[in-house]
Amino acid sequence: MKSNLKRMSQIQEDLVKHIDSQIKDPDDPLYMATMLLKHSIVLYKKMMTDEEIQNMLDHVIDTLDEGYPGFEITKTTKKTLH
Protein backbone atom coordinates (compact mmCIF):
# COMPACT_ATOMS: atom_id res chain seq x y z
CA MET A 1 0.00 0.00 0.00
CA LYS A 2 1.44 3.36 -1.04
CA SER A 3 1.71 5.73 1.87
CA ASN A 4 1.14 9.45 1.44
CA LEU A 5 1.36 10.54 5.06
CA LYS A 6 1.17 14.26 4.25
CA ARG A 7 -2.14 13.86 2.40
CA MET A 8 -3.55 11.48 5.03
CA SER A 9 -2.55 13.95 7.74
CA GLN A 10 -4.32 16.83 5.97
CA ILE A 11 -7.49 14.76 5.52
CA GLN A 12 -7.35 13.82 9.21
CA GLU A 13 -6.88 17.43 10.31
CA ASP A 14 -9.83 18.56 8.18
CA LEU A 15 -12.01 15.75 9.52
CA VAL A 16 -11.09 16.54 13.14
CA LYS A 17 -11.93 20.23 12.60
CA HIS A 18 -15.32 19.29 11.18
CA ILE A 19 -16.01 16.83 14.00
CA ASP A 20 -14.99 19.37 16.65
CA SER A 21 -17.46 21.85 15.15
CA GLN A 22 -20.28 19.32 15.58
CA ILE A 23 -19.64 18.46 19.25
CA LYS A 24 -22.27 20.33 21.24
CA ASP A 25 -23.37 17.94 24.01
CA PRO A 26 -21.31 15.91 26.53
CA ASP A 27 -22.57 12.67 24.91
CA ASP A 28 -21.68 13.79 21.38
CA PRO A 29 -18.09 12.39 21.37
CA LEU A 30 -19.44 8.89 22.00
CA TYR A 31 -22.13 9.30 19.34
CA MET A 32 -19.62 10.70 16.86
CA ALA A 33 -17.07 7.95 17.48
CA THR A 34 -19.74 5.25 17.17
CA MET A 35 -21.12 6.76 13.96
CA LEU A 36 -17.66 7.13 12.42
CA LEU A 37 -16.72 3.54 13.21
CA LYS A 38 -19.99 2.09 11.91
CA HIS A 39 -19.95 4.14 8.72
CA SER A 40 -16.30 3.36 8.11
CA ILE A 41 -16.97 -0.36 8.31
CA VAL A 42 -19.88 -0.06 5.86
CA LEU A 43 -17.77 2.01 3.45
CA TYR A 44 -14.84 -0.40 3.64
CA LYS A 45 -17.08 -3.35 2.83
CA LYS A 46 -18.56 -1.50 -0.17
CA MET A 47 -15.23 -0.28 -1.56
CA MET A 48 -12.78 -3.02 -0.67
CA THR A 49 -12.39 -6.76 -0.61
CA ASP A 50 -11.75 -8.49 2.70
CA GLU A 51 -8.10 -8.90 1.70
CA GLU A 52 -7.79 -5.17 0.94
CA ILE A 53 -9.38 -4.34 4.30
CA GLN A 54 -6.89 -6.65 6.02
CA ASN A 55 -4.00 -4.97 4.17
CA MET A 56 -5.33 -1.53 5.12
CA LEU A 57 -5.65 -2.51 8.79
CA ASP A 58 -2.13 -3.98 8.75
CA HIS A 59 -0.89 -0.68 7.30
CA VAL A 60 -2.71 1.27 10.03
CA ILE A 61 -1.17 -0.89 12.75
CA ASP A 62 2.28 -0.60 11.18
CA THR A 63 2.11 3.20 10.84
CA LEU A 64 -0.06 4.27 13.80
CA ASP A 65 2.89 5.51 15.82
CA GLU A 66 3.87 7.85 12.94
CA GLY A 67 0.81 9.99 13.70
CA TYR A 68 0.63 9.21 17.39
CA PRO A 69 4.10 8.73 18.89
CA GLY A 70 4.07 6.41 21.89
CA PHE A 71 0.80 4.75 20.89
CA GLU A 72 1.46 1.05 20.45
CA ILE A 73 -0.71 -1.82 19.29
CA THR A 74 0.47 -5.37 19.64
CA LYS A 75 -0.17 -7.17 16.39
CA THR A 76 -1.54 -10.70 16.75
CA THR A 77 -2.27 -13.43 14.26
CA LYS A 78 -5.34 -14.68 16.09
CA LYS A 79 -8.20 -15.42 13.68
CA THR A 80 -11.71 -14.34 14.62
CA LEU A 81 -14.60 -16.72 14.04
CA HIS A 82 -17.73 -15.17 12.58
Side-chain angles (χ1 to χ4, degrees):
M1 178 177 199
K2 182 180 173 186
S3 180
N4 184 340
L5 294 177
K6 184 176 179 182
R7 180 64 184 134
M8 287 189 285
S9 178
Q10 182 62 50
I11 291 168
Q12 179 177 310
E13 287 176 29
D14 292 346
L15 183 58
V16 168
K17 285 178 190 174
H18 174 71
I19 290 169
D20 282 344
S21 75
Q22 300 303 307
I23 303 294
K24 312 244 187 280
D25 183 271
D27 291 331
D28 284 352
L30 175 62
Y31 299 147
M32 185 67 73
T34 301
M35 182 273 313
L36 286 169
L37 181 59
K38 288 172 73 173
H39 286 275
S40 294
I41 291 168
V42 169
L43 287 171
Y44 297 152
K45 290 299 285 182
K46 284 195 153 294
M47 297 182 322
M48 304 167 84
T49 66
D50 287 346
E51 184 178 344
E52 289 170 327
I53 292 170
Q54 178 65 47
N55 289 339
M56 177 207 52
L57 293 173
D58 286 344
H59 177 74
V60 168
I61 290 169
D62 291 344
T63 62
L64 189 59
D65 65 337
E66 291 173 11
Y68 302 95
F71 189 87
E72 295 179 20
I73 293 180
T74 303
K75 198 172 181 179
T76 66
T77 57
K78 216 183 245 187
K79 296 254 180 199
T80 307
L81 300 177
H82 300 280

